[in-house]
Amino acid sequence: MTKQYLKPLALALAVSLALTACGKHEPANNAPAPTSTAAAASSTAAADLGKSIFDVSELGDSALACQDFNSFVNAKWVAANPIPADRTRWGAFDALAEASLNTQHEIVEKAAKGAATAQAGSIEQKIGLLFQSGMNEDAIEKAGFDPIKPKLDAIAGLKNGADVADYITKAYVGGDGQVFAFGSSADYQHADMQIAYANEAGLGLPTKDYYSEAKHKDIRDAYVAYIAKALELTGVAEADAKKQAADVLAFETRLAAASLSPVEARKPENQYHFVSVQDADKTTPHFSWDKFFAAQGVTVDKGFSLSQPKFFAEFDKLLASAPIAQWQAYLRFHTIDDASPYLSKNFQDNKFAFYGKTLSGQPEQKARWKRVLGTVNSSMGQALGQLYVAEVFKPEAKARAQELVDNVRNALKARIENLDWMSDETKAKAIAKWNTFLPKIGYPDKWRDWSGLSISGDNYYGNVMAAAKFNYDYDIAKIGKPTDRKEWGMTPQTVNAYYNPTDNTINFPAAILQPPFFDANADDGINYGGIGAVIGHEASHGFDDEGSQFDGDGNNKNWWTKADRDKFDARTDKLVAQFNEYAPIKDKPDAHVNGKLTLGENIADLGGLNVAYDALQAALKKNPEEAGKQIDGYTQDQRFFLNWARVWRGSVREQQALLYLNIDPHAPASLRAIGAPSNMPAFANAFQCKSGDAMVRADDKQVKIW
C-alpha cells in the first residue's frame, strides 16, 4: 500500500504510474532522463544565439496565437508524434522519461552483467541482481503463483475477525500492508518531528465514486471480472471465483462509502487526526493499535494520526460483522493483485487487461525491461539514482541551477511585498515563510545505506518483498525522530519537481534540468519559460490553497488575517470557475475539469509563470542589448511563453483522459499551456492580442493572486 498522507505537490502527474506508485512504500508522484549542464541564470547564453533552440517550424498559423496558444505552439508536433502503443499519453514529459529510461536501462543492464564480479553488497550488485531476477522469465514462469501460496494458505486458515486483525498486523511486519496505509510523516502541529500515520486505503478502483455512480457501472463489471479471473488463476473454481469477486466488490463498496473524495482528501484537516493509542482503540475496538505498534517495533509516545476516523470505524465494523469468507475473498484477491506484476505471464496479462486496457485505454503492455525497471525504481530508486547521477549529472549543473532558483525566488519575494490586496501583517508572515524555503537541486547530499537489503538473482517476487520490508522498516524507523529536511521524496532520475508543505522544501531532480526545461545554450526567454516557471510553480505551492495553510516551519497553522484569507479565497474562487468551464475531451462536452481538485496546481501555474516572467525581466535588465534582440523572429517575451506551452505539449488517450479528470489534481496539459497565460497582460502584450480574443480573459474574469 502506498503512503496516503499529505503528498508532495508535484509539477505533473507521474509520467508512469508504474514508476511512481507501484511497489509498497515509495514516495509520491513521478519518472526519468539524462541532463545537460544548466545555463547561468543571470545572463543570456549569447555565444549560441544564432543556433535554433526552439524550432519555430513547429509553430502553426500566427493567427492562432491569440485564439488557442496551445494549438499554435503544439498542434503540429502532436500530429507528427502519435501516442506509442505502450503508453496512454505522449508529450514533452514522456519523451524525457523515455530518454531517461533508456539511460537507466544501460545502467541496470551493465549492473546485471557485472553482478557476479561486482563488490559484494554494493548497490551495483543489488540493482544488477534485482534486474536480472525480473528478466529471468523462465524462472518466473516455472514458479507460477508458488511465491504467494504461503500467504493464500494463511488467509484460508482465518476463522474470525480477530484472526483477520492478527493477519493484517503480521502482514505489515513483512512490509505487506493491507486495507489501510501506515508509515511515518511530519507531525502537522510539530513538523520538526516524525510521527506515525494510519490512513485510509484498500480500494482497487480509482475513487469512491467508481463504486456508486451509474456512469462507472461498466468499469465495476470489468473489475469484478478481473477479480474473478485473478482468483481462477490460483485454482479457485469459476463459480466460486465469481461469488468471491462479488463479495470483494461489496466489501470495497463499504470501505469506499467511508472514504474521502479526491477533493476532500486535499484538505489538511482530513489528512491529520492526532489521537492517543487508547483513543484509537476506542475507534477500532476490534483492532488493537497497541498490539499493532508493538509488532512493528514502533514506540508511540503521546499518540499518532488516525487520519480518517470514519474510515477506520467502518474498518472495525467489517472486522466485527463481515463474514469471514468475505474477508478471505478480499485479502486473497489483493494478495494476488499486489503480486501479479511479479508472477507468471498470465497474472501480468490479467492485471494489464483491466488496469491498462479497460481503465486507461493502453493498447499494449510495456516491454518487459521497462516493467522490471519500474520495479527497480520502486524498490531501490534512490540507489539507482546514485548511479544515474554519477553517469549524467555534472556538479556545475547543480551550481548554475541554484543561481536560477535564487533569481526566481527573489522575484517571488518582490511579488509578495508588492501585493495590493494583502495587509502588511500577513505579508510579513508570508515573507517569513519565504525566508525558510529550502531549495534542493539534483540529488540528495547524502545517499541511503542499502547494506541491510539482501537480493538474489533468481527470486523476483522474493526480492520485491525483501525490498518492500526493507523500505517499510526504513520508513517507520523515523517515527519519533526529528524530521530530516534534506531527505528527498523523489529520485534524481524523475522528470518532475515538487514542494513539500511539512518541511517547506522545493525540490528539482536532476532529470528535469535539461531541455526543453533547461538548456545550457538557450536564451533567457527559453530557460525562464521552462525551468524558471517550474521553480516558480513549486515555490508558489507554498502559497496555494493547501500550502498556505502551513507556516515556514511546516506546521499546519493559520498565519493569515481573516480579511486577507477572504480576499485570497475570492481570487481562488475565480480560478476554480475558470477551470470548471473547460471540457477538454473531444465529443464529451459534459466531461469538465474539476476546478476544486486542480486548484492548487492552477494557483502554482499562475503564480509560477508570473514570478518567472518577473525574473526574466530582471535578467534582461542586466543585459539590455540581449533584451532588444529577436531570435528566429521572436522576442524574449514571446519565447518565454512559447517554451511554457512547449513544456505542456502532448496528447492522451480518451479513457486515460477521463480517468485523469476524476483523480488528477493537475489540469490537462493542453489547458495548462493556456490557462495561466490567458490571465496575464504580459502575454497579451507579447503577442499583440486584443480584448475579445480567446487568450485574453475579460477584466472581471482575469485571475490575479500572487
Side-chain angles (χ1 to χ4, degrees):
M1 294 290 176
T2 310
K3 290 164 67 172
Q4 299 288 315
Y5 355 116
L6 182 64
K7 295 178 179 178
L9 300 163
L11 176 69
L13 188 68
V15 174
S16 167
L17 294 178
L19 293 184
T20 301
C22 284
K24 295 290 180 184
H25 291 89
E26 67 287 290
N29 299 288
N30 325 292
T35 177
S36 65
T37 302
S42 59
S43 63
T44 303
D48 288 310
L49 288 184
K51 183 179 179 181
S52 178
I53 299 297
F54 187 108
D55 186 357
V56 296
S57 70
E58 293 178 342
L59 300 176
D61 187 333
S62 60
L64 267 177
C66 294
Q67 304 306 321
D68 183 350
F69 194 60
N70 178 62
S71 291
F72 168 60
V73 177
N74 295 324
K76 280 188 179 180
W77 185 92
V78 169
N81 292 272
I83 303 171
D86 69 345
R87 289 181 175 267
T88 60
R89 71 182 205 196
W90 188 249
F93 279 85
D94 310 273
L96 289 185
E98 190 75 9
S100 176
L101 285 176
N102 290 329
T103 299
Q104 293 174 60
H105 190 199
E106 293 174 2
I107 293 171
V108 297
E109 283 275 16
K110 180 180 178 181
K113 290 176 181 176
T117 57
Q119 180 182 344
S122 65
I123 59 173
E124 290 86 351
Q125 184 189 59
K126 291 177 183 180
I127 286 172
L129 290 174
L130 178 56
F131 186 74
Q132 191 180 99
S133 69
M135 295 302 293
N136 190 345
E137 293 183 75
D138 288 343
I140 293 168
E141 288 302 309
K142 184 177 179 181
F145 71 97
D146 285 352
I148 62 171
K149 282 182 178 178
K151 292 180 180 179
L152 297 178
D153 289 343
I155 292 167
L158 301 176
K159 293 180 172 58
N160 50 47
D163 285 353
V164 171
D166 287 343
Y167 176 84
I168 292 170
T169 295
K170 291 174 184 175
Y172 254 109
V173 172
D176 186 18
Q178 297 293 338
V179 189
F180 57 86
F182 177 76
S184 68
S185 196
D187 187 336
Y188 275 26
Q189 300 304 314
H190 305 281
D192 59 335
M193 294 297 294
Q194 295 283 298
I195 63 169
Y197 279 74
N199 283 267
E200 63 180 35
L203 303 181
L205 292 177
T207 71
K208 63 183 299 179
D209 290 345
Y210 279 79
Y211 291 88
S212 57
E213 293 189 355
K215 64 181 179 180
H216 297 308
K217 183 182 183 302
D218 289 347
I219 295 294
R220 286 196 295 276
D221 291 345
Y223 182 50
V224 170
Y226 162 61
I227 296 169
K229 179 68 178 296
L231 293 168
E232 287 181 54
L233 290 175
T234 62
V236 178
E238 181 180 355
D240 192 20
K242 288 180 178 179
K243 181 183 181 304
Q244 289 189 44
D247 278 347
V248 172
L249 182 66
F251 186 95
E252 290 187 14
T253 300
R254 285 186 62 177
L255 287 180
S259 299
L260 300 171
S261 70
V263 171
E264 291 169 334
R266 291 192 67 251
K267 298 177 181 179
E269 62 266 30
N270 289 333
Q271 300 164 351
Y272 175 85
H273 180 69
F274 193 86
V275 295
S276 67
V277 174
Q278 292 74 21
D279 284 342
D281 281 344
K282 291 176 184 176
T283 300
T284 61
H286 299 90
F287 187 86
S288 169
W289 290 100
D290 189 56
K291 192 174 179 180
F292 178 82
F293 289 132
Q296 312 310 310
V298 170
T299 299
V300 173
D301 185 13
K302 295 180 180 179
F304 71 106
S305 179
L306 190 71
S307 298
Q308 296 85 29
K310 181 181 176 182
F311 174 89
F312 284 97
E314 185 61 29
F315 162 57
D316 191 74
K317 289 178 183 177
L318 286 163
L319 283 174
S321 64
I324 190 61
Q326 189 175 35
W327 265 110
Q328 288 172 319
Y330 172 80
L331 293 171
R332 186 177 293 120
F333 161 66
H334 280 284
T335 296
I336 300 166
D337 178 64
D338 290 346
S340 287
Y342 322 114
L343 302 180
S344 54
K345 186 175 183 297
N346 50 355
F347 287 92
Q348 297 169 44
D349 291 349
N350 186 42
K351 184 158 188 170
F352 172 73
F354 175 69
Y355 285 108
K357 287 185 179 179
T358 300
L359 197 58
S360 301
Q362 183 176 323
E364 294 179 8
Q365 198 163 190
K366 290 183 183 298
R368 180 159 190 87
W369 70 263
K370 291 184 180 180
R371 288 179 276 144
V372 176
L373 183 53
T375 302
V376 175
N377 269 287
S378 62
S379 299
M380 297 186 67
Q382 291 290 353
L384 178 56
Q386 190 172 345
L387 302 183
Y388 172 87
V389 166
E391 186 87 18
V392 302
F393 193 64
K394 306 302 180 185
E396 56 266 29
K398 187 169 185 173
R400 292 176 179 177
Q402 180 69 60
E403 185 179 0
L404 202 150
V405 168
D406 292 342
N407 288 353
V408 175
R409 284 186 64 234
N410 288 336
L412 173 60
K413 182 180 182 182
R415 278 239 159 204
I416 294 171
E417 291 173 334
N418 293 311
L419 288 175
D420 60 5
W421 58 268
M422 181 179 280
S423 70
D424 289 342
E425 179 183 351
T426 305
K427 279 184 186 179
K429 293 177 180 177
I431 295 300
K433 178 169 185 174
W434 177 92
N435 281 327
T436 60
F437 268 140
L438 174 64
K440 297 185 295 191
I441 297 168
Y443 52 88
D445 294 334
K446 181 181 179 181
W447 296 105
R448 271 184 68 180
D449 178 9
W450 297 86
S451 59
L453 175 62
S454 296
I455 299 292
S456 70
D458 59 359
N459 187 351
Y460 190 35
Y461 181 77
N463 288 337
V464 171
M465 291 310 302
K469 176 171 173 50
F470 181 82
N471 289 322
Y472 174 68
D473 289 346
Y474 175 82
D475 178 44
I476 64 174
K478 300 173 192 173
I479 294 169
K481 294 180 181 177
T483 296
D484 181 3
R485 295 184 75 205
K486 293 186 176 181
E487 186 171 33
W488 281 67
M490 276 185 185
T491 65
Q493 62 270 31
T494 298
V495 181
N496 218 325
Y498 72 97
Y499 169 74
N500 188 348
T502 57
D503 63 18
N504 202 27
T505 60
I506 49 177
N507 307 263
F508 308 99
I512 201 170
L513 299 174
Q514 60 173 329
F517 297 96
F518 204 1
D519 191 327
N521 298 316
D523 51 282
D524 280 339
I526 294 297
N527 275 331
Y528 279 98
I531 197 65
V534 170
I535 295 164
H537 173 102
E538 300 309 336
S540 294
H541 266 313
F543 305 97
D544 70 15
D545 63 311
E546 189 173 24
S548 64
Q549 297 183 60
F550 293 79
D551 65 15
D553 294 323
N555 297 313
N556 184 202
K557 183 183 296 183
N558 180 37
W559 46 270
W560 296 67
T561 66
K562 185 180 185 307
D564 287 336
R565 176 56 77 173
D566 289 344
K567 292 175 185 176
F568 176 80
D569 290 343
R571 290 167 182 267
T572 61
D573 284 347
K574 291 174 68 174
L575 198 57
V576 171
Q578 174 183 342
F579 278 82
N580 278 342
E581 292 177 357
Y582 292 130
I585 302 176
K586 186 180 179 181
D587 301 326
K588 291 197 178 294
D590 295 329
H592 285 257
V593 174
N594 186 331
K596 287 187 177 180
L597 177 60
T598 59
L599 179 58
E601 299 299 330
N602 296 333
I603 292 172
D605 278 355
L606 180 58
L609 198 60
N610 272 293
V611 167
Y613 180 80
D614 289 353
L616 170 64
Q617 302 314 305
L620 293 177
K621 191 173 182 179
K622 296 178 182 178
N623 298 276
E625 291 185 9
E626 304 300 341
K629 286 184 179 179
Q630 289 192 357
I631 302 174
D632 294 331
Y634 290 91
T635 67
Q636 283 290 285
D637 281 15
Q638 288 174 328
R639 288 170 70 79
F640 171 85
F641 288 108
L642 288 171
N643 203 37
W644 166 257
R646 177 171 65 163
V647 162
W648 299 112
R649 65 176 30 164
S651 54
V652 59
R653 298 188 192 280
E654 183 177 290
Q655 285 156 275
Q656 183 69 78
L658 286 168
L659 179 60
Y660 282 161
L661 289 181
N662 292 321
I663 66 170
D664 190 1
H666 306 83
S670 60
L671 300 178
R672 298 180 75 176
I674 66 173
S678 70
N679 285 300
M680 296 174 63
F683 172 83
N685 292 336
F687 289 93
Q688 295 85 51
C689 301
K690 306 180 298 296
S691 177
D693 287 340
M695 285 297 300
V696 181
R697 294 182 66 78
D699 288 345
D700 63 329
K701 291 188 175 182
Q702 200 168 99
V703 186
K704 299 177 182 178
I705 305 173
W706 297 106

